[in-house]
Amino acid sequence: MNRQTGSAPASLRLPTRGGRGPRVAMLVFNDAHNDSRVLKEAATLRDAGATVRIFAVSRASAGFSEGREPVSSGVDIHRSQEFSLERVAPGVARMRSWLNGNSVAEGVHEGGVSSAAAVEAVGALSAVAPDSGHGTGGSGGGLGSATMGQQKEASAPSGTGRVPGTSSLLGRARRVLRETSSSVVALQADMGMRAYKTLALSTYWLRTARAALDWSPDVVHANDGNTLAPALWIVERCGARLVYDAHELWLDRNVRADRLLAPRVEAAIEARGVARADAVITVSPSIVRWMAEHYQMPSPPVLVRNVPVAGPAPDRSRGRLRELAGLGPDTQVIAYGGRITTSRGIEETIAALPALPETVHLVMLGYGEPDYLPTLWDLAARHGVTHRVHQVGPVAPHAVSEALSDADISVVHVRPTCLSYRYALPNKLFESIRGGVPVAAADLPDIRSVVERLGVGEVFSGEDPADLALTIRQILADPQRYRDAALAAGQHLTWQSESVALLGAYRRALLGPARARLDSRSSSGSRRGRVLILSFSPIVSDARVLKQVRLLSPTYEVTTCGYGQAPEGVVAHVQIPDELVSWRLDRASLIARRFSRVQATQEVVSWARKHLPVGAWDVVLANDAETVPLALSLRPLGGVHADLHEYAPRQKEGVLRWRLFVAPYVRWLCRRYVARADSVTTVAQGLAQAYRREYGIRAGVVTNATPYHDTVVTPPSRPLRLVHSGAALPDRHLDRMIEAVGRTRREVTFDLYLTRNDPDLIERLRQQAAELPPGRVRVLDPVPYSQLVETLSGYDVGVFCLPPVSFNYKHALPNKLFDFVQARLAVVVSPSPEMAQVVRQHGLGVVTEDFSASSLAEALDTLTDQDVARAKRASDQAARLLSAEQQMAGWTQAVAVLERRARAQDPSLLPSSGLAGLAEGEDR
């Protein structure tokens, strides 16, 4: 990875989504300021082209308030408001404080690091580590050089036992209440703490899920099992990919053993998360094996260890531990790095100190848990080593290795009280190696493997302080050989090398979901590609969707989902019940602009989610913007192609109610979902330009062309036979065409084949026609689409004048124009830019001066038989070029690209003859 430019080699760049880098939402249940793994992953993904937002939780007492905090270009942290008892139930909070003997709100987070330091720390991940040999080096509000004894003395209450600001009477009352009700209070406190932790986590889930969904991520990266629930909720609603990053073995970690319900809930959530995830990564080989076996995963999790960022070899003379602990150069320092808590080997190290020379001191670099520190103070006092045990505050993640580098030995010990600890491969091991510090390591499988393979230290029995003391003496007797081995290993054991596996997992996740979810794979070992054509329309009467079916069904196994009967050629059809209305939306949510709820509760979408299995198709072709969220949630192996039949944000702009309430929702659909489709097509160039201009969506054009018909060109008739076919919609002003036919001096007849969209309108048009001479104008019922071109071929001139009452009408390029060409008719159209361009370019007929009836009548008056014959021959010459077979290349190429992606993920997918070759060089 290029550390100077912040970019990655082309082979490590992430696939783009709609022409831009993917948006990655990283969920973590802490304030994220000092989470080295999360920050390193964020920087790596940014360098590979992603935009990363870390969704964390605020810690106001530590200086990390709610809101968005920029970290670097392409990375920021969004902290949701933390759950606060003071805010939710101030009376209960005051009672808790009173019982604890506090007169004011508690708590400055120990070792807190400022937000500015957090920004600097993450920014440093893509640059050479700064000189940390001067100043605080990001150690923030650590405890500095205080020994255990000094810390204990500083934290003890005054000799009078009085709490500042309270009377002795109140103090005595508190003590009496605590002493007489200790068991009851302890039970209540325990129940209260459990409830508090549950509420805190639930609050984070709720606030983070909403914030992340509003950001429209392409990938949701769940850090640990406590973020899987909101991650699953998000991906189900926006179709994002899911990456599960298990920082430990979540189901067997170091938590209290008397939890009854929580383990079952956690197991269910993780099982669902692993099954749903597009990629699973974790931190040690043993956890990789455990998860693969426990969940019967088709592919094991990806191993991404917690190794430090590359940089210059640490200079021992610039180490920080002696400076921070106030120790001289003659002191031999045992280093401990990480969270200061139980079962981390700190107790064993303190117990081993009496068996070591007086000059050997223990220096702990990291956070101390307030409930645990008194235990260590008492332990150090019992062993008589309080003056030899020091706690110093944390330093920024990128500065840890150099801070440790002046230590003489690092103890890496995790007491195997749970499987997660037994299988641990902690940061402190790799930070010590990076710092060139010899390692005394507990005999745990993954730690032992690294230490012995690299020769960077010795292994001791984790339960015996005497064995630890002997191991430390052995290393201190000849430390240089271990130091040399550590320095040599540290040059290669870098995050830049380790992160290649992370980027590989992301590439596979973005290119398609896990093969395991293709639950209908062919048992024969090979199969044709599976395509779902999704449309909230009656497919057998939807000309554009039928073209997709006929184009793709000879090559792929095509399933359709829509209203009405199954079209010919499909392997399956999921029929939406007629009583479900696609445009029926939750009005209250629309008015409140709760668009996620509008989309999730749309009745046809809810029904389809229950009947369309996730991961069952290689490609989903989604017709119109309203189907795209559903298509993305189905997570096809190759991806989603969106075909937009019109400019959706201005679909019914002439209706005030639609414009005020529905249009904002449609714009939201375009921003959040359509922009994330893998490829997009629409019907006309003007619409494509609008999608690009307003939403950054790069749409190709697939016109509403008609399949090629080998129609015979016939001479003009007398009287000249005019024809129109299409929908009976009021805003098309069909009456103007009838009026023009009544005005023209040309001897003509005019037949209109109209679908019954508006029966009252059809009746009015028939009444208008009845006022003209008999047979002059007829309003007829529609013919089946399969018979339309043959029916039209019995006429001479196709007519369509469409007033530009909306954006979509202005840029219309309708089926009927291409139907007229395949019927070998002359064409008369209004000056709509898209239609006019086609007519003029190919010499197909006449474009009127304006959209009025008089203009159309004038055009008909000047139309001679020679003009009609010439235009009919021009239609014949253009019929092949303007046929669906030629115009549908955009669909063919888009599906071929997505099929190629699917084939890269599933070797059982056979190449599609005649289509796959078109995808070469097209895959982004």
Side-chain angles (χ1 to χ4, degrees):
M1 197 156 299
N2 189 325
R3 298 168 63 85
Q4 301 302 319
T5 64
S7 61
S11 60
L12 299 181
R13 300 289 290 178
L14 296 178
T16 58
R17 313 296 283 178
R20 55 164 176 77
R23 285 191 292 266
V24 178
M26 302 188 78
L27 276 53
V28 59
F29 187 52
N30 59 43
D31 58 43
H33 86 280
N34 214 26
D35 192 320
S36 62
R37 182 177 179 88
V38 171
L39 297 177
K40 287 186 294 189
E41 288 174 334
T44 295
L45 295 171
R46 174 208 52 206
D47 291 347
T51 300
V52 182
R53 180 163 292 177
I54 302 170
F55 290 86
V57 64
S58 67
R59 296 282 187 259
S61 61
F64 303 105
S65 58
E66 63 180 295
R68 190 165 68 89
E69 179 180 354
V71 173
S72 63
S73 177
V75 179
D76 59 33
I77 299 174
H78 173 94
R79 294 189 178 94
S80 61
Q81 187 181 74
E82 64 183 322
F83 176 78
S84 169
L85 195 61
E86 286 77 5
R87 185 181 299 108
V88 176
V92 176
R94 285 194 296 271
M95 177 63 73
R96 179 193 64 180
S97 180
W98 188 79
L99 285 173
N100 288 337
N102 300 323
S103 59
V104 293
E106 293 181 295
V108 175
H109 191 290
E110 65 280 0
V113 180
S114 69
S115 298
V119 174
E120 180 182 352
V122 183
L125 292 178
S126 291
V128 176
D131 183 353
S132 58
H134 306 283
T136 64
S139 60
L143 295 177
S145 60
T147 64
M148 276 289 184
Q150 292 168 336
Q151 292 171 27
K152 183 176 181 180
E153 180 180 352
S155 64
S158 64
T160 64
R162 294 177 61 184
V163 179
T166 64
S167 69
S168 60
L169 178 61
L170 286 176
R172 285 196 299 274
R174 274 194 289 262
R175 287 196 297 274
V176 169
L177 183 58
R178 287 198 300 266
E179 291 166 3
T180 57
S181 308
S182 59
S183 60
V184 175
V185 170
L187 178 60
Q188 290 177 338
D190 182 64
M191 294 174 63
M193 181 53 67
R194 292 185 190 223
Y196 178 88
K197 290 182 176 180
T198 301
L199 286 170
L201 181 60
S202 301
T203 300
Y204 168 77
W205 285 1
L206 179 63
R207 291 172 176 162
T208 293
R210 289 176 176 172
L213 186 62
D214 286 342
W215 192 56
S216 300
D218 301 297
V219 181
V220 178
H221 185 125
N223 288 283
D224 274 329
N226 56 5
T227 67
L228 264 177
L232 286 164
W233 187 88
I234 296 164
V235 300
E236 288 296 336
R237 282 156 179 79
C238 71
R241 305 298 197 236
L242 174 62
V243 174
Y244 176 39
D245 188 352
H247 296 197
E248 58 182 319
L249 205 165
W250 190 249
L251 299 190
D252 200 340
R253 65 193 191 280
N254 183 30
V255 291
R256 56 191 298 168
D258 60 346
R259 302 184 312 149
L260 299 179
L261 180 61
R264 294 172 174 80
V265 174
E266 291 172 352
I269 291 174
E270 186 173 71
R272 186 179 174 211
V274 169
R276 180 71 169 80
D278 298 282
V280 178
I281 62 179
T282 192
V283 296
S284 77
S286 291
I287 297 179
V288 167
R289 289 190 290 271
W290 187 94
M291 293 186 73
E293 295 171 5
H294 182 78
Y295 293 112
Q296 298 183 342
M297 299 172 66
S299 300
V302 175
L303 176 63
V304 180
R305 299 171 298 176
N306 288 318
V307 299
V309 175
D315 183 351
R316 193 179 183 201
S317 66
R318 295 164 60 185
R320 302 286 314 286
L321 288 186
R322 284 178 170 79
E323 173 195 340
L324 294 172
L327 300 175
D330 296 332
T331 304
Q332 292 179 298
V333 173
I334 302 172
Y336 171 87
R339 189 157 61 106
I340 300 171
T341 186
T342 183
S343 301
R344 298 296 181 93
I346 303 173
E347 300 98 322
E348 288 83 353
T349 306
I350 291 175
L353 282 177
L356 294 170
E358 186 72 16
T359 56
V360 177
H361 287 234
L362 169 64
V363 179
M364 298 179 294
L365 182 73
Y367 295 113
E369 294 189 353
D371 294 339
Y372 177 66
L373 288 175
T375 303
L376 289 186
W377 300 338
D378 291 342
L379 182 64
R382 288 201 304 272
H383 286 284
V385 293
T386 54
H387 61 293
R388 296 167 60 192
V389 179
H390 312 263
Q391 182 198 355
V392 299
V395 298
H398 70 280
V400 172
S401 293
E402 191 157 63
L404 293 172
S405 63
D406 66 337
D408 296 282
I409 189 170
S410 175
V411 174
V412 178
H413 175 41
V414 181
R415 192 185 306 152
T417 56
C418 58
L419 276 182
S420 186
Y421 278 9
R422 177 170 179 78
Y423 296 156
L425 200 52
N427 305 38
K428 64 178 70 70
L429 171 62
F430 299 108
E431 297 286 4
S432 299
I433 294 172
R434 175 69 185 158
V437 181
V439 174
D443 190 6
L444 299 174
D446 297 274
I447 295 175
R448 169 190 278 273
S449 175
V450 171
V451 170
E452 292 185 342
R453 178 169 54 85
L454 300 177
V456 296
E458 298 293 339
V459 175
F460 66 92
S461 171
E463 300 178 359
D464 186 359
D467 190 30
L468 172 57
L470 287 174
T471 302
I472 291 174
R473 284 181 177 272
Q474 177 185 349
I475 293 173
L476 291 178
D478 183 17
Q480 194 58 44
R481 69 184 181 96
Y482 301 109
R483 189 177 294 278
D484 291 343
L487 288 171
Q491 297 304 306
H492 306 286
L493 201 61
T494 67
W495 178 255
Q496 280 71 9
S497 298
E498 197 75 11
S499 63
V500 171
L502 171 70
L503 295 177
Y506 258 78
R507 285 184 60 84
R508 290 189 292 275
L510 285 165
L511 290 173
R515 284 175 56 197
R517 285 196 302 279
L518 289 174
D519 41 0
S520 55
R521 282 182 297 175
S522 170
S523 59
S524 65
S526 61
R527 61 179 180 83
R528 289 198 300 162
R530 301 189 183 102
V531 176
L532 171 67
I533 297 178
L534 181 61
S535 178
F536 294 161
S537 69
I539 292 179
V540 293
S541 60
D542 190 321
R544 187 171 178 89
V545 180
L546 277 178
K547 293 169 193 172
Q548 297 167 359
V549 173
R550 291 165 182 164
L551 172 71
L552 300 176
S553 57
T555 306
Y556 301 100
E557 297 177 5
V558 173
T559 298
T560 48
C561 177
Y563 291 95
Q565 298 177 347
E568 293 182 7
V570 301
V571 297
H573 177 64
V574 181
Q575 182 174 342
I576 300 173
D578 291 339
E579 61 268 20
L580 300 181
V581 181
S582 64
W583 46 261
R584 186 180 294 148
L585 305 175
D586 182 3
R587 293 182 180 179
S589 297
L590 268 182
I591 294 170
R593 300 207 170 191
R594 297 178 61 189
F595 296 145
S596 294
R597 177 173 175 79
V598 173
Q599 198 279 323
T601 59
Q602 190 176 0
E603 59 186 30
V604 67
V605 171
S606 299
W607 184 91
R609 286 185 190 278
K610 297 175 183 177
H611 293 82
L612 297 173
V614 171
W617 290 279
D618 302 303
V619 179
V620 175
L621 202 165
N623 285 277
D624 285 320
E626 61 184 352
T627 69
V628 176
L630 174 61
L632 289 169
S633 72
L634 296 176
R635 299 199 301 165
L637 192 61
V640 170
H641 177 79
D643 186 51
L644 309 176
H645 299 192
E646 55 192 325
Y647 188 64
R650 299 177 67 174
Q651 181 178 355
K652 297 181 180 179
E653 60 183 335
V655 180
L656 178 61
R657 185 172 56 182
W658 188 92
R659 198 164 63 243
L660 290 178
F661 299 113
V662 181
Y665 169 66
V666 177
R667 292 194 293 268
W668 175 83
L669 285 179
C670 291
R671 286 193 305 271
R672 168 164 287 184
Y673 295 105
V674 179
R676 293 219 326 274
D678 296 276
S679 52
V680 179
T681 50
T682 189
V683 299
Q685 193 61 44
L687 306 191
Q689 291 170 353
Y691 278 116
R692 177 70 180 274
R693 182 175 61 252
E694 299 297 330
Y695 302 100
I697 297 170
R698 298 182 180 182
V701 174
V702 175
T703 62
N704 282 315
T706 307
Y708 179 78
H709 286 66
D710 189 12
T711 308
V712 176
V713 178
T714 59
S717 308
R718 283 186 177 269
L720 198 65
R721 302 191 68 198
L722 313 182
V723 69
H724 172 86
S725 65
L729 297 173
D731 57 1
R732 292 192 176 184
H733 296 281
L734 302 176
D735 58 302
R736 294 185 187 178
M737 291 190 289
I738 297 177
E739 180 184 349
V741 170
R743 287 188 178 195
T744 184
R745 298 187 302 273
R746 188 78 155 81
E747 188 179 358
V748 299
T749 63
F750 185 34
D751 288 349
L752 296 93
Y753 293 89
L754 301 179
T755 58
R756 298 185 62 82
N757 305 75
D758 188 335
D760 291 340
L761 172 62
I762 290 177
E763 183 58 33
R764 290 196 300 273
L765 295 175
R766 282 176 173 161
Q767 291 175 2
Q768 182 184 5
E771 296 174 0
L772 299 177
R776 183 87 165 189
V777 175
R778 296 186 301 173
V779 179
L780 306 173
D781 291 334
V783 298
Y785 182 74
S786 60
Q787 302 171 22
L788 180 59
V789 171
E790 181 182 356
T791 301
L792 295 176
S793 66
Y795 293 83
D796 301 303
V797 181
V799 181
F800 188 34
C801 290
L802 184 65
V805 297
S806 69
F807 181 86
N808 281 292
Y809 277 12
K810 177 181 178 181
H811 293 280
L813 192 58
N815 311 41
K816 57 184 61 58
L817 175 62
F818 300 96
D819 294 337
F820 296 158
V821 171
Q822 294 304 323
R824 305 310 193 266
L825 305 184
V827 176
V828 176
V829 298
S830 55
S832 305
E834 307 279 350
M835 288 195 291
Q837 180 182 356
V838 173
V839 171
R840 288 168 176 153
Q841 179 180 351
H842 297 282
L844 302 178
V846 177
V847 178
T848 64
E849 286 296 323
D850 56 41
F851 299 90
S852 65
S854 59
S855 180
L856 175 56
E858 183 179 348
L860 294 175
D861 287 343
T862 60
L863 193 64
T864 66
D865 287 350
Q866 291 79 10
D867 294 334
V868 173
R870 188 183 308 111
K872 295 183 82 168
R873 290 194 297 273
S875 287
D876 185 51
Q877 293 171 2
R880 185 76 67 178
L881 178 62
L882 297 180
S883 69
E885 290 79 359
Q886 297 294 319
Q887 298 291 306
M888 290 190 298
W891 289 337
T892 303
Q893 292 174 358
V895 172
V897 167
L898 300 183
E899 182 215 29
R900 182 177 170 219
R901 291 183 183 180
R903 198 165 66 250
Q905 300 298 308
D906 187 353
S908 71
L909 178 58
L910 295 172
S912 298
S913 175
L915 291 180
L918 293 172
E920 299 300 324
E922 295 290 334
D923 190 359
R924 292 171 294 174

